[in-house]
């Protein structure tokens, strides 16, 4: 069995120290957060970087700041810590479920939200669709400065981000929406999701959908919004059966990814059922 | 410069690469063979150890990041030279079959029994999501955890 060897690990004591180390080592280095993806490189037959900059000891990357209009999440916050911190904020149910039900308890205590968003090759990331439907932004940092961009934009550029950049934090606006995360693992728990539907809606007093964001993960290589379904929901009462019917009519726009455990067509076929579950979780 | 690790209270050193998974150093250098490298992916839990009290799959932990931590393997869980409550309960419930998963089960359940005295059957099942057993069907393991919780 191949096991990872021959990478050096620098434990950065501060954010500037991490950015300096990443900048100096260039393409030879990468951030090391929870390691739950990196340490499995040999199983994927991928080489390790020769230098890792461990970011787990940097205090500001562990902070979760809850303000009245925004929540800011440091990139090295673990899934477990995030699920605990957001548990009482019902507008973030989608993110609490994404962070709190992925993987297994030990992995949730190691894997970070930054690692979840930064791993280009990982299609089944739970927090990506959850944060897409919450209209999240991210802040990226390098020795030269900082930049704040939409998560959607980050997903298109993350694989070509120049060496030296680090995902620093995630900024999620608070809009009082009702949200839900529906995922289908092959076993009841502990597996990657076959498909994910994340839903965020705002409703008027009569229960009509004023605005909707729906995102789909694990079906295609990168999670994305389902804008035609969002349009179909707006203006109507939220109804789980009708939402699933609309999803069934529109699911043809997805091209599922094939894998040894799940055929491509199956990932698309289960989408209407997941839309029904997500809408039903909002009491419709 | 070598790695300096504290395992079951002993201060040990290793010259392995810093990124080497802790499991390999535990087994191959320190001859602590309780933890098993089965999947090396974080799915099965056979390699579970306590790091600063937290159940952690040692296949995913680079040795360099375990420096300055308290590492406890299944070999170090005995209390005053005797079995700890979950070990006693697993034996009393005749829970073990092939035994491959058990070092990891003992580590995860030792943590559960010591940190969550109110844990229910569902809590136990959830806590074992990352400990796969191919033999037992889990029921006797869960019974043993309930027994350990009731008797501690
Ligand atoms: C058994 C198992 C089951 C899992 N199940 C699920 C699941 O159901 N759902 C799910 O979403 N995830 C799951 N995961 C987690 C998966 O590994 C994630 O992608 C994880 O969140 C990665 O985070 P990490 O902190 O471990 O990243 P690492 O392994 O440390 O890093 C991953 C990549 O991201 C880069 N990186 C990390 N942090 C940053 C940063 N701040 N800025 C820039 N780049 C960065 C690294 O350089 C590396 O390329 C599972 C993992 C395991 C082991
Ligand atoms: S060998 Fe580490 S979890 Fe399976
Ligand atoms: S007793 Fe055989 S794998 Fe659990």
């Amino acid at each position: 069995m191949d096991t990872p060897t021959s990478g050096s690990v620098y434990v950065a004591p501060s954010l500037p120290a991490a950015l300096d180390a990443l900048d100096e080592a260039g393409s030879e280095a990468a951030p090391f957060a929870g390691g739950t993806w990196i340490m499995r490189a040999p199983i994927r037959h991928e080489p390790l970087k020769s230098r890792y900059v461990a970011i787990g000891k940097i205090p500001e990357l562990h902070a979760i700041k809850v303000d009245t209009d925004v929540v800011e999440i440091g990139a090295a916050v673990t899934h477990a810590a995030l699920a605990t911190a957001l548990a009482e904020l019902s507008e973030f149910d989608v993110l609490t479920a994404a962070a709190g039900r992925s993987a297994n308890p030990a992995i949730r205590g190691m894997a970070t939200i930054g690692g979840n968003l930064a791993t280009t090759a990982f299609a089944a990331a739970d927090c990506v669709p959850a944060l897409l439907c919450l209209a999240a932004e991210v802040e990226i940092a390098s020795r030269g400065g900082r930049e704040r961009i939409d998560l959607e934009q980050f997903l298109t550029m993350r694989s070509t981000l120049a060496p030296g950049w680090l995902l620093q934090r995630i900024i999620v606006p608070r809009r009082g929406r009702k949200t839900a995360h529906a995922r289908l693992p092959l076993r009841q728990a502990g597996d990657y999701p076959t498909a994910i539907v994340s839903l965020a809606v705002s409703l008027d007093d009569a229960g009509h959908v004023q605005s909707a964001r729906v995102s789909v993960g694990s079906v295609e290589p990168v999670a994305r919004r389902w804008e035609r379904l969002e349009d179909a929901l707006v203006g109507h009462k939220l109804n789980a059966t009708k939402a699933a019917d609309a999803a069934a009519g529109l699911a043809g726009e997805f091209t599922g990814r094939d894998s040894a455990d799940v055929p491509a067509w199956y990932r698309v076929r289960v989408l209407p059922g997941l839309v029904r579950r997500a809408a039903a979780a909002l009491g419709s | 410069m070598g790695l300096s690790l504290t395992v079951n209270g002993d201060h040990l050193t290793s010259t392995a690469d810093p990124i080497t998974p802790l499991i390999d150093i535990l087994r191959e250098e320190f001859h602590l063979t309780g933890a098993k490298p089965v999947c090396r992916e974080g799915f099965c839990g056979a390699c579970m150890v306590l790091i600063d009290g937290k159940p952690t799959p040692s296949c995913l932990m680079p040795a360099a990041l375990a420096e300055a931590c308290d590492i406890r393997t299944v070999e170090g869980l005995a209390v005053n030279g005797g079995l700890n409550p979950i070990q006693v309960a697993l034996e009393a419930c005749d829970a073990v079959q092939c035994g491959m998963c058990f070092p990891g089960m003992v580590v995860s359940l030792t943590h559960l029994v010591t940190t969550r005295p109110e844990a229910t059957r569902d809590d136990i099942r959830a806590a074992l999501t990352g400990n796969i057993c191919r033999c037992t069907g889990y029921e006797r393991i869960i019974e043993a955890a309930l027994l350990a919780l009731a008797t501690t």
Side-chain angles (χ1 to χ4, degrees), chain A:
Chain A
M1 173 65 73
D2 289 341
T3 63
T5 47
S6 83
S8 77
V9 182
Y10 166 63
V11 182
S14 68
L15 190 57
L19 295 176
D20 281 347
L22 287 169
D23 192 79
E24 278 153 27
S27 59
E28 298 292 300
F32 189 107
T36 64
W37 184 262
I38 291 171
M39 292 298 282
R40 293 184 287 156
I43 288 180
R44 296 189 299 271
H45 305 289
E46 290 170 10
L48 284 162
K49 294 275 182 189
S50 58
R51 186 163 171 77
Y52 284 103
V53 176
I55 58 172
K57 296 266 192 287
I58 301 173
E60 65 250 61
L61 297 189
H62 281 286
I64 302 175
K65 200 162 145 238
V66 180
D67 282 338
T68 47
D69 54 350
V70 82
V71 169
E72 294 181 3
I73 306 160
V77 168
T78 64
H79 286 61
L82 185 62
T84 304
L86 299 181
E88 304 299 322
L89 301 176
S90 67
E91 67 183 294
F92 294 118
D93 283 351
V94 63
L95 190 52
T96 306
R101 289 205 225 118
S102 67
N104 61 53
I107 299 299
R108 292 196 290 270
M110 301 171 85
T112 66
I113 184 153
N116 206 247
L117 301 193
T119 309
T120 310
F122 183 42
D126 272 281
C127 292
V128 178
L131 286 165
L132 280 176
C133 89
L134 289 170
E137 295 179 305
V138 300
E139 190 168 279
I140 54 176
S142 73
R143 182 141 82 172
R146 282 182 177 33
E147 214 179 303
R148 186 163 156 170
I149 49 177
D150 279 350
L151 174 58
E152 277 174 288
Q153 195 189 341
F154 176 72
L155 295 178
T156 64
M157 63 188 275
R158 61 185 173 175
S159 62
T160 53
L161 213 54
W165 283 91
L166 187 77
L167 177 57
Q168 187 180 335
R169 59 193 173 130
I170 297 103
I171 304 117
V172 195
R174 297 189 68 178
R175 295 188 186 150
R177 293 158 290 204
K178 296 178 83 173
T179 68
H181 189 71
R183 66 198 295 275
L184 179 71
L186 289 181
R187 291 184 303 137
Q188 198 174 353
D191 262 343
Y192 289 147
T194 292
I196 305 167
V197 170
S198 300
L199 175 63
V201 294
S202 57
L203 304 175
D204 66 16
D205 292 342
H208 290 100
V209 177
Q210 284 178 313
S211 68
R213 284 176 75 107
V214 186
S215 22
V216 171
S218 200
V219 172
E220 296 181 337
V222 183
R224 67 170 166 99
R225 279 174 63 193
W226 194 350
E227 285 165 352
R228 290 170 72 205
L229 182 60
E230 293 172 359
D231 292 342
L233 296 178
V234 170
H236 304 283
K237 279 210 158 169
L238 188 63
N239 174 289
T241 307
K242 288 192 177 149
D245 288 347
L250 296 169
E253 72 174 74
F254 288 91
T255 307
R257 55 187 180 97
D258 220 354
S259 63
D261 49 347
V262 184
W265 62 265
Y266 183 76
R267 296 186 195 273
V268 180
R269 184 79 64 85
V270 298
L271 282 177
L274 289 175
V275 168
R276 183 186 309 108
R277 277 193 207 172
L282 300 186
S284 63

Side-chain angles (χ1 to χ4, degrees), chain B residues 13-25:
Chain B
T13 56
S14 163
T15 53
D17 278 336
I19 198 90
T20 308
L22 181 60
I23 179 93
D24 293 332
I25 297 178

Side-chain angles (χ1 to χ4, degrees), chain B residues 95-102 105 132-138 141:
Chain B
V96 187
Q97 290 192 23
C98 85
M100 183 64 135
C101 67
F102 262 77
M105 288 284 177
I132 306 287
C133 176
R134 288 286 175 210
C135 304
T136 66
Y138 300 97
I141 298 173

